[in-house]
Amino acid sequence: MTPVRCRYCPQALTTPESRARGYGPVCGQRRGLLPPTPHQRRPAASVTAVTKPDVHPDQTTIPIQPELPEEST
């Protein structure tokens, strides 16, 4: 079987689909002949729940005031 070369570069075409097209996926995407391949997203990192106390034994807590008191005028 004669190796078929890409019409835009010296790369040998290996898949039957690219041989039928006459160019490989990289050359086709560079020239806008093929749509870009979608990128695979990384799976989200697994989050583990924190079950330890928020404050270490040697520390003191600072109270957090979630809402400011409304001022009456």
Side-chain angles (χ1 to χ4, degrees):
M1 184 178 202
T2 311
V4 178
R5 302 277 179 196
C6 175
R7 70 174 72 153
Y8 300 111
C9 71
Q11 183 71 29
L13 302 176
T14 55
T15 63
E17 183 181 349
S18 60
R19 286 181 185 169
R21 280 194 311 253
Y23 50 84
V26 174
C27 290
Q29 289 175 6
R30 284 182 185 162
R31 288 166 177 77
L33 303 170
L34 294 174
T37 55
H39 293 281
Q40 297 290 330
R41 286 187 171 186
R42 288 186 184 173
S46 61
V47 178
T48 56
V50 178
T51 57
K52 296 180 181 178
D54 293 341
V55 179
H56 293 284
D58 296 338
Q59 294 178 337
T60 58
T61 60
I62 300 173
I64 298 175
Q65 188 176 9
E67 295 181 8
L68 294 175
E70 295 183 19
E71 295 180 17
S72 59
T73 55

